[in-house]
Amino acid sequence: MIQATSRQSIPKEWMDPIGPNVGYAKPEFREQVLEMAKKGSAAHFDRLRDRLENGVIKTPLTAEQKQYLKENFDLKNMSWEDYQSLIGKLCEFGVLDQEDKDFLHCGFSGLEMTPVDLSRPTCTASLYTAPVRDPWSFDSWKGDVLGWMKFLSSFQSWDSDSQSWRKTDEARLFGKVRDLLDAIA
């Protein structure tokens, strides 16, 4: 499975979508998609790692902002458009960077995609048991953003340097945003 790695838009006709945020590259376009993915992957993920190490949640929410989010977003019953709007509000409030949208599945119009780190081994695993049929799909969670984020925050990848499993950078970001939202809910 190939997913986008930067704001470079992968043409929709190159992909076979399997959900609102995941798709497979069509066989005749795999080489082009892989080349696009490799170009932006390392630098994109380096910036995310820096933000995670230096506090990805940059600005704490004010009481007024928390109240606004609580009144305007039902975290247990949210549409895809509501989710995108929520992440947009967190960026507007200065809590997240615009670049974080890519990792939170909000980076592109049309076929929504998220980056894949091609500079490291791609073997990942999740210890979380999802209560839905297709846990990757936002639609499968029936609007439960907190449950979906909990699932996505559970992924680990094998770190050959330390010989141990570690949370993926994307999982760490989903975890931090989920913790922030959970405190509001």
Side-chain angles (χ1 to χ4, degrees):
M1 184 180 331
I2 300 293
Q3 296 174 317
T5 61
S6 71
R7 289 237 174 246
Q8 287 182 330
S9 183
I10 295 174
K12 218 164 47 168
E13 56 274 5
W14 290 8
M15 304 297 292
D16 279 326
I18 60 172
N21 60 337
V22 175
Y24 291 100
K26 292 179 180 175
E28 63 270 26
F29 297 111
R30 283 194 183 129
E31 290 303 314
Q32 293 100 314
V33 172
L34 185 58
E35 192 56 40
M36 286 179 77
K38 284 181 180 178
K39 282 182 182 177
S41 181
H44 204 50
F45 272 87
D46 285 346
R47 288 190 298 276
L48 174 61
R49 282 183 207 105
D50 286 345
R51 288 194 311 280
L52 286 166
E53 298 306 318
N54 297 316
V56 71
I57 306 293
K58 303 182 307 184
T59 307
L61 290 169
T62 65
E64 293 82 18
Q65 290 169 332
K66 288 178 184 177
Q67 188 63 35
Y68 173 86
L69 294 173
K70 190 172 190 165
E71 289 174 0
N72 289 280
F73 297 100
D74 180 356
L75 300 174
K76 292 287 189 178
N77 186 22
M78 189 173 283
S79 71
W80 179 247
E81 292 76 19
D82 291 340
Y83 170 72
Q84 291 177 313
S85 179
L86 169 68
I87 298 302
K89 274 293 178 198
L90 292 175
C91 291
E92 184 182 314
F93 290 161
V95 174
L96 297 172
D97 285 337
Q98 288 293 321
E99 194 172 11
D100 293 328
K101 286 180 169 183
D102 291 348
F103 297 99
L104 296 168
H105 301 202
C106 292
F108 300 96
S109 60
L111 180 62
E112 300 296 330
M113 295 194 198
T114 188
V116 169
D117 188 355
L118 298 174
S119 65
R120 296 175 177 253
T122 57
C123 176
T124 59
S126 173
L127 302 175
Y128 183 83
T129 303
V132 296
R133 185 169 171 253
D134 179 10
W136 284 97
S137 169
F138 179 86
D139 292 338
S140 291
W141 290 88
K142 297 186 182 356
D144 180 6
V145 170
L146 295 176
W148 183 62
M149 286 187 157
K150 183 177 181 182
F151 169 73
L152 292 173
S153 69
S154 69
F155 280 81
Q156 301 179 28
S157 63
W158 182 254
D159 183 348
S160 54
D161 294 335
S162 68
Q163 294 293 300
S164 64
W165 288 94
R166 294 182 183 247
K167 288 245 183 201
T168 65
D169 293 328
E170 182 182 314
R172 291 172 54 204
L173 178 60
F174 268 106
K176 289 181 182 295
V177 174
R178 184 191 181 279
D179 291 346
L180 174 81
L181 295 175
D182 198 33
I184 294 168

